[in-house]
Amino acid sequence: MTLAIIAANVAVFAIFNVALASVGGMDFAVLAFGHVPTVAHEVAVLPESLRVIPEDLYLLTALTSGFVHADFLHLAGNMLFIWVFGDNVEDALGHFRYLLFYLVCAFCAAWFHAFVFPQSDAALVGASGAAAGIVAAYLMLHPKMKVWVLFLSFLPLELAAGWLLGAWVVFQLFMFLSDTGGEVSWAAHVGGIGAGLALVVLLKRSDVPLFDRQIIPPHAIAARDGDTIRWGQDGA
C-alpha cells in the first residue's frame, strides 16, 4: 500500500505537469483540488471553471489536496518520508487500515490548517501532513530503531529514531507556534502529527506493541526449526 500511495502521488503529478501542462494543468490542479480555507469556511467561492468538486462536497478537497504537489522537489521530499517510514507503519496496521490511516491523517492536516488560518485564500496542497502522521506513528512504534542521517550534509551518523524523530516533531511544533506566514504550513504538519499519534494506537494490530517493548517478527517471514518451517501468524 505504501508503494501504491507513492505511485498515486507520482501519477497525479505527472498527469497535471506533463499531460496537461500545455493548458496550465498544475495551476488548475492546485486551485481545483487544493484546500482553500476561505472556501471551506464558505467565506469565498471558487470561480465556476474551478468547481470540479461540488460546493456541498468541498471537504473532499481535504483529501484530494494531499495528492497534489506544487513542484518536483515538493513531491520528492514528501515521497521520501513516506517511503522510508511508511512500510513499517503499514506492517503494524495492515494494508487496509494503513490506507485509512493515511487518508485520515491527510484530512486532519488540511482541516487543522483551515481551522488555524480561516481567512487564508491560499490553496493548501501536498502530502506533508500525511507524511508527518506516518513519522509520528513510526516514533510511537519504533523509537529504539536506528536511523542513518547525514549530519552537516556529509557526515553519516546512526541515531535512535526516538531522538531524531522526536527532535523533528518538536521542531514542527516550534515552527507552528512561531509561524510568520511562510510557504510551509506547519499547522498542517501538526495536524498530521496529532492524527498519527492517535490513530496508530487505535488502528495497530492487537499483537503489535508500542515503543519497541518486544520484537515482533514480520508475518511473511518463515523461521526454520530443523526440517520444519514455522510461519508467523497471518496479519490483518
Side-chain angles (χ1 to χ4, degrees):
M1 192 61 71
T2 296
L3 294 178
I5 288 171
I6 292 173
N9 277 276
V10 172
V12 169
F13 183 81
I15 288 170
F16 286 107
N17 270 281
V18 179
L20 301 177
S22 62
V23 292
M26 186 47 62
D27 291 336
F28 171 81
V30 166
L31 292 174
F33 298 103
H35 192 65
V36 182
T38 52
V39 178
H41 288 285
E42 300 182 351
V43 175
V45 295
L46 290 174
E48 189 171 347
S49 60
L50 296 174
R51 294 179 199 167
V52 177
I53 297 176
E55 290 184 48
D56 57 344
L57 296 176
Y58 190 76
L59 273 180
L60 287 177
T61 60
L63 293 177
T64 60
S65 62
F67 292 88
V68 178
H69 291 83
D71 54 48
F72 178 76
L73 289 179
H74 188 204
L75 172 72
N78 286 335
M79 295 307 101
L80 179 62
F81 271 82
I82 293 171
W83 178 63
V84 170
F85 300 107
D87 57 346
N88 296 99
V89 177
E90 183 176 355
D91 285 342
L93 273 60
H95 305 311
F96 174 76
R97 280 179 288 181
Y98 175 72
L99 176 60
L100 177 63
F101 170 92
Y102 181 89
L103 294 176
V104 174
C105 284
F107 183 92
C108 290
W111 177 88
F112 190 66
H113 169 82
F115 174 78
V116 174
F117 302 108
Q119 300 302 316
S120 174
D121 290 321
L124 175 73
V125 294
S128 58
I134 289 173
V135 170
Y138 187 95
L139 180 60
M140 290 280 285
L141 292 164
H142 305 300
K144 297 177 183 177
M145 291 293 292
K146 301 296 184 180
V147 179
W148 284 97
V149 295
L150 285 178
F151 181 67
L152 299 178
S153 300
F154 71 90
L155 180 63
L157 290 178
E158 188 180 30
L159 301 173
W163 289 104
L164 179 65
L165 301 185
W168 183 87
V169 168
V170 170
F171 177 74
Q172 306 308 303
L173 293 171
F174 172 79
M175 293 303 296
F176 167 64
L177 294 174
S178 60
D179 189 10
T180 57
E183 293 185 0
V184 176
S185 175
W186 304 105
H189 294 184
V190 170
I193 289 170
L197 292 175
L199 288 171
V200 71
V201 176
L202 295 174
L203 297 179
K204 71 178 183 67
R205 298 197 321 266
S206 60
D207 62 331
V208 173
L210 296 174
F211 307 115
D212 286 324
R213 287 199 295 263
Q214 66 185 97
I215 297 174
I216 302 295
H219 289 277
I221 293 180
R224 182 176 294 275
D225 182 11
D227 294 327
T228 304
I229 296 177
R230 297 180 288 104
W231 293 90
Q233 292 178 328
D234 185 25

